[in-house]
């Protein structure tokens, strides 16, 4: 405490008290999210005002905002504490509602007389969520972390000309939307998704970024194109799809429908990951088993977590032309601690960790092995660890 009785914490003490790691606190300091005072010797020193700001940043984080957006928001004018609390409470209530529905459906499946309980549980999970990663606030935060970490790798060469009309299909919570719209400020984006809750989150994120070149629409890709209006055939100059095809049971059908939405000579950009490209040091059998569970769960849900390697044949079958596919590899070692935190821990490991409940309930893995696998994945983010993952980016053209 200071002479005036106020409490102060070192970065280690605050990490221990709050559960936010030292590495995250340092990263947030570097981005201006929560920047403490410094002692004469240069050590970080957190006071009550910094703790209040840390809570507000964490609450805003749960809404899905990116770290740079949060830093800018807090720097302009601290949000109304009551409004922040209300937004946080709404988020928790929605999460509880979804979990309650999921519990009831799982209980009904387990009490059923159906002989194949495993498939019944998996079917119930996928019918409820319609998206293997779920729609929890933690998933919205993970997607924002992923977008922040991969912006340059995935989007540095994505630009659209002024006046062009671009469809972002499957925009989700808008994790990629802000990057796309800010890099092409004079293009007009229509960001569409099948989930209304995700669209609300995306709209909030875009508004917080101060972007005026995006509109949102609730659309199902398999119901397009429409006969008339803004989603009629040849109504867009370009289509952008990121992390959508992996969740679809018929990706070729989706790509054919998207081709009809683009004018002749227009393009599609597709970005997908491939979990089979994951490798790391130290290698660990339980970690590989946990990743395999996510792949299996997604396959049972009708998707494909290994779809990145299939982009060329899928686009070719859907009759796109001039197809060019490039691998985009994320390589993380001890010299890149920020990427270890934002991608290895908060993106990939968080994604695998998020499917613990359905995989254990379905009997795909025992809880101890899964937990050991997650611990091993986190271990690869340590200074002596290495983590690699490859995304695939394809650009193709609708034949004239």
């Amino acid at each position: 405490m200071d002479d005036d009785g106020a409490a102060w914490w070192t970065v280690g003490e605050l990490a221990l008290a709050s559960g936010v790691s030292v590495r995250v606190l340092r990263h947030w300091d570097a981005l201006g999210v929560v920047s403490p005072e410094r002692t004469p010797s240069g050590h970080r020193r957190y006071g009550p005002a910094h703790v209040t700001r840390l809570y507000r940043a964490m609450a805003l984080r749960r809404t899905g905002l990116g770290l740079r957006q949060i830093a800018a928001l807090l720097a302009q004018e601290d949000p109304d504490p009551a409004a922040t609390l209300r937004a946080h409470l709404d988020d928790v209530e929605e999460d509880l509602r979804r979990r309650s529905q999921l519990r009831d459906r799982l209980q009904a499946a387990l009490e059923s007389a159906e002989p194949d309980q495993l498939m019944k549980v998996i079917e119930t999970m996928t019918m409820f969520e319609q998206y293997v990663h779920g729609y929890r606030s933690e998933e919205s935060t993970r997607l924002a972390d992923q977008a922040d970490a991969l912006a340059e790798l995935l989007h540095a060469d994505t630009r659209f000309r002024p006046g062009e009309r671009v469809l972002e299909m499957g925009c989700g919570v808008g994790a990629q939307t802000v990057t796309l719209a800010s890099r092409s400020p004079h293009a007009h984006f229509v960001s569409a998704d099948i989930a209304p809750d995700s669209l609300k989150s995306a709209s909030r994120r875009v508004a917080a970024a101060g972007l005026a070149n995006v509109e949102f629409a609730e659309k199902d890709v398999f119901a397009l194109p429409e006969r008339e209006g803004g989603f009629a055939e040849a109504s867009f100059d370009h289509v952008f799809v990121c992390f959508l095809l992996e969740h679809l049971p018929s990706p070729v059908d989706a790509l054919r429908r998207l081709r009809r939405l683009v004018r002749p000579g227009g393009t599609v950009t597709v970005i997908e990951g491939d979990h089979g490209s994951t490798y790391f040091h130290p290698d660990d059998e339980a970690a590989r088993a946990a990743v395999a569970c996510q792949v299996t769960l997604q396959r049972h849900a009708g998707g494909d977590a290994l779809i990145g390697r299939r982009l060329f044949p899928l686009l070719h079958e859907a009759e796109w032309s001039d197809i060019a596919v490039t691998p985009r590899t994320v390589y993380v070692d001890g010299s890149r601690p920020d990427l270890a935190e934002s991608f290895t821990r908060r993106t990939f490991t968080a994604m695998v960790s998020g499917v613990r409940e359905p995989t254990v309930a379905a009997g795909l893995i025992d809880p101890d092995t899964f937990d050991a696998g997650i611990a091993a994945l986190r271990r690869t983010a340590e200074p002596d660890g290495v983590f690699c993952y490859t995304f695939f980016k394809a650009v193709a053209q609708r034949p004239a």
Side-chain angles (χ1 to χ4, degrees):
M1 289 191 180
D2 274 0
D3 294 338
D4 60 2
W8 290 85
W9 294 267
T10 66
V11 65
E13 290 169 343
L14 185 60
L16 185 63
S18 68
V20 181
S21 73
V22 170
R23 180 175 291 186
V24 168
L25 289 172
R26 288 173 175 165
H27 182 50
W28 286 20
D29 180 12
L31 293 178
V33 178
V34 183
S35 297
E37 296 181 11
R38 296 279 183 158
T39 66
S41 59
H43 296 295
R44 291 175 175 84
R45 185 171 179 261
Y46 295 85
H50 300 112
V51 173
T52 300
R53 186 176 172 108
L54 176 63
Y55 167 75
R56 290 175 177 168
M58 292 173 68
L60 289 168
R61 198 76 176 105
R62 289 180 63 85
T63 70
L65 290 174
L67 290 175
R68 288 178 176 82
Q69 291 174 265
I70 292 172
L73 190 62
L74 294 176
Q76 291 171 4
E77 184 177 338
D78 276 351
D80 175 6
T84 302
L85 286 167
R86 282 194 297 271
H88 194 174
L89 179 61
D90 290 345
D91 184 60
V92 171
E93 293 286 359
E94 177 62 17
D95 191 40
L96 289 173
R97 184 186 68 80
R98 290 187 180 278
R99 288 177 182 272
S100 178
Q101 289 181 1
L102 177 58
R103 178 201 61 206
D104 293 344
R105 295 191 181 192
L106 282 171
Q107 186 64 41
L110 290 172
E111 293 175 355
S112 170
E114 295 289 331
D116 193 345
Q117 292 290 349
L118 170 61
M119 291 307 299
K120 186 65 176 177
V121 170
I122 293 175
E123 180 186 7
T124 304
M125 284 296 302
T126 55
M127 286 179 61
F128 167 62
E129 296 193 336
Q130 293 296 306
Y131 173 50
V132 70
H133 303 311
Y135 293 105
R136 303 183 310 274
S137 58
E138 292 92 338
E139 175 61 9
S140 179
T141 300
R142 184 191 72 78
L143 291 170
D145 286 324
Q146 177 173 270
D148 287 345
L150 303 176
E152 287 302 314
L153 179 71
L154 299 183
H155 303 306
D157 54 351
T158 301
R159 293 289 191 280
F160 301 103
R161 289 191 289 269
E164 291 187 319
R165 193 165 186 260
V166 183
L167 170 62
E168 182 196 10
M169 191 67 231
C171 68
V173 298
Q176 312 297 325
T177 309
V178 170
T179 299
L180 289 174
S182 60
R183 287 172 179 262
S184 300
H186 301 296
H188 180 74
F189 291 86
V190 180
S191 296
D193 199 273
I194 196 172
D197 288 346
S198 294
L199 288 170
K200 291 177 184 177
S201 296
S203 180
R204 288 195 297 267
R205 178 176 281 113
V206 166
L211 296 168
N213 60 332
V214 183
E215 65 175 283
F216 294 94
E218 184 180 340
K219 299 291 179 180
D220 179 351
V221 66
F222 294 112
L224 300 175
E226 297 172 344
R227 289 189 175 184
E228 56 185 19
F231 285 82
E233 187 153 346
S235 56
F236 292 93
D237 297 294
H238 306 281
V239 171
F240 178 88
V241 177
C242 188
F243 311 140
L244 171 67
L245 299 184
E246 64 172 306
H247 303 294
L248 302 181
S250 304
V252 171
D253 184 21
L255 288 170
R256 284 180 176 144
R257 291 173 178 274
L258 292 172
R259 178 174 52 79
R260 292 174 58 195
L261 283 166
V262 175
R263 61 170 174 78
T267 68
V268 65
T269 299
V270 184
I271 300 175
E272 294 289 348
D274 191 317
H275 287 10
S277 69
T278 308
Y279 56 96
F280 38 79
H281 170 80
D283 194 13
D284 185 87
E285 184 176 350
R288 284 185 271 111
V291 174
C293 283
Q294 201 279 332
V295 174
T296 300
L297 191 69
Q298 194 153 334
R299 184 173 66 251
H300 283 297
D304 182 5
L306 310 177
I307 201 168
R309 68 189 72 178
R310 298 172 56 205
L311 288 189
F312 185 93
L314 289 173
L315 286 161
H316 183 266
E317 187 177 350
E319 300 179 63
W320 290 88
S321 67
D322 300 320
I323 305 165
V325 180
T326 56
R328 310 291 173 103
T329 300
V330 183
Y331 171 80
V332 189
D333 61 23
S335 69
R336 310 177 78 183
D338 288 351
L339 196 56
E341 182 64 33
S342 62
F343 185 76
T344 307
R345 289 183 187 272
R346 296 183 65 86
T347 297
F348 188 84
T349 304
M351 174 190 63
V352 178
S353 179
V355 300
R356 183 186 190 277
E357 293 179 20
T359 54
V360 171
L364 299 178
I365 194 171
D366 66 86
D368 291 341
T369 301
F370 189 90
D371 293 342
I374 296 302
L377 287 174
R378 293 194 180 108
R379 169 70 179 82
T380 68
E382 296 299 321
D384 61 342
V386 174
F387 188 90
C388 296
Y389 185 93
T390 300
F391 295 92
F392 294 85
K393 183 173 184 176
V395 179
Q397 188 176 66
R398 176 176 178 174

